[in-house]
Amino acid sequence: MTIFFWIGFICIWLILTAFVNKTYHHIIYNSLEIKFTKDNEHQLIKKSDVVEIIKDLGLVQGVSLSKEINIKEIEEKLNAHFALESAEVYFLNTGKLNVNIKKRTPIARLIANDPSNNAYIDEHGLFMRTSDSYVAKLPLFSGEFKLTDSNLVDYTNVSLASEIYNMSRLINNDPFLKSQIVQIHINNNGYFELIPRIGNHKILFGSIENMEKKFKKIKLFYTEGPSPKELNLYDTLNVMFNDQIVCSKIN
């Protein structure tokens, strides 16, 4: 009795499998739906870019799945895009191709003396290449950066990448700092210099040590110190010393 049961079960399974395969191969690709399941305000990749990638692989509306449409190939091509964290691609039996996209979120922009070493750092501390058609408005770091094949920043201090990452997160999470600090330059000695939006001075920040305390002093200076007009009287603001702010006026 058990043998007959399993023979019958296998026969039914084969019939259903053949039916499903036949139905699957007759499905016609007729529509495309792209969803950004993880999005941000940056336009490093747009829906139109995803459409072009799919078209470049030869997938056009009206073809059937029997034309060996390779879902894995589409996913691999999309996942290779520098601005994407992941892509999920699948067909519905209605003929709709669904593409679910998770975008990478850059938090800092690196501008090197050699433009070939320009890059972004994303929210996970990983590097992204820059785009020729879009510039993300982020904390801007400048200096002698050099990207190696291992995707690390090579500099006098091997921890520079993590320092930039940590400083970027702090600036991005503080509306005041994000608005006021427009550029961070890294000198040959590895010290940070900040360029503010308001005022003609520069801020001598030094190393990343006691970073949060230094930023608190900077905010205190701008909120309780000189008026915006008086800021133009200063050429430097030094927060490198403990518990004090040293200001230097223009001669």
Side-chain angles (χ1 to χ4, degrees):
M1 188 70 179
T2 303
I3 294 176
F4 287 116
F5 170 79
W6 282 109
I7 291 175
F9 175 80
I10 292 172
C11 289
I12 294 173
W13 179 77
L14 291 172
I15 292 171
L16 289 175
T17 301
F19 175 78
V20 169
N21 286 335
K22 183 177 180 180
T23 303
Y24 177 80
H25 288 301
H26 281 83
I27 294 176
I28 302 298
Y29 168 43
N30 55 44
S31 61
L32 172 65
E33 183 174 354
I34 301 169
K35 291 182 179 179
F36 288 107
T37 57
K38 179 185 176 184
D39 205 352
N40 55 57
E41 72 273 20
H42 304 297
Q43 299 298 308
L44 291 167
I45 186 168
K46 305 182 292 294
K47 285 187 176 182
S48 58
D49 299 321
V50 178
V51 172
E52 287 303 314
I53 291 173
I54 292 174
K55 284 185 177 179
D56 288 343
L57 291 174
L59 182 57
V60 294
Q61 293 186 15
V63 300
S64 67
L65 298 191
S66 61
K67 298 297 182 181
E68 298 183 359
I69 295 174
N70 193 330
I71 297 296
K72 184 179 180 181
E73 182 183 13
I74 299 173
E75 285 188 341
E76 289 178 348
K77 186 70 174 180
L78 290 171
N79 283 319
H81 195 284
F82 75 96
L84 291 189
E85 185 174 305
S86 66
E88 179 188 24
V89 181
Y90 58 94
F91 261 109
L92 298 180
N93 57 11
T94 59
K96 178 189 288 186
L97 179 66
N98 280 32
V99 181
N100 293 335
I101 297 291
K102 290 185 178 180
K103 293 167 64 174
R104 296 175 67 184
T105 301
I107 64 171
R109 183 178 166 215
L110 278 57
I111 301 296
N113 290 344
D114 181 356
S116 65
N117 287 308
N118 293 349
Y120 292 109
I121 292 182
D122 74 4
E123 61 184 334
H124 303 298
L126 303 175
F127 287 94
M128 302 169 57
R129 72 171 180 82
T130 56
S131 169
D132 295 330
S133 59
Y134 177 83
V135 176
K137 294 182 179 180
L138 298 164
L140 178 63
F141 290 80
S142 58
E144 288 286 351
F145 306 114
K146 182 179 179 182
L147 296 184
T148 68
D149 293 337
S150 60
N151 205 30
L152 297 173
V153 170
D154 182 18
Y155 199 63
T156 54
N157 188 337
V158 294
S159 65
L160 177 65
S162 62
E163 291 180 353
I164 293 175
Y165 172 70
N166 291 329
M167 182 177 283
S168 300
R169 291 184 63 189
L170 196 153
I171 293 174
N172 280 309
N173 290 331
D174 188 303
F176 180 87
L177 294 176
K178 188 175 182 180
S179 174
Q180 175 65 346
I181 306 302
V182 296
Q183 184 175 345
I184 303 96
H185 184 75
I186 304 175
N187 294 326
N188 292 334
N189 57 7
Y191 278 9
F192 291 77
E193 285 187 5
L194 281 53
I195 308 300
R197 185 180 303 278
I198 300 174
N200 297 321
H201 55 282
K202 59 183 177 181
I203 303 170
L204 304 182
F205 196 87
S207 70
I208 201 172
E209 187 178 0
N210 298 320
M211 178 177 63
E212 293 187 3
K213 289 183 178 180
K214 291 177 181 179
F215 275 122
K216 284 181 179 179
K217 289 192 291 185
I218 291 173
K219 291 176 66 175
L220 182 66
F221 175 81
Y222 287 120
T223 55
E224 300 185 19
S227 67
K229 290 183 179 180
E230 293 175 323
L231 289 175
N232 291 327
L233 300 176
Y234 296 89
D235 59 4
T236 59
L237 171 64
N238 192 331
V239 296
M240 294 171 59
F241 305 103
N242 290 332
D243 302 321
Q244 61 179 317
I245 303 173
V246 180
C247 303
S248 174
K249 287 189 175 182
I250 299 173
N251 294 327

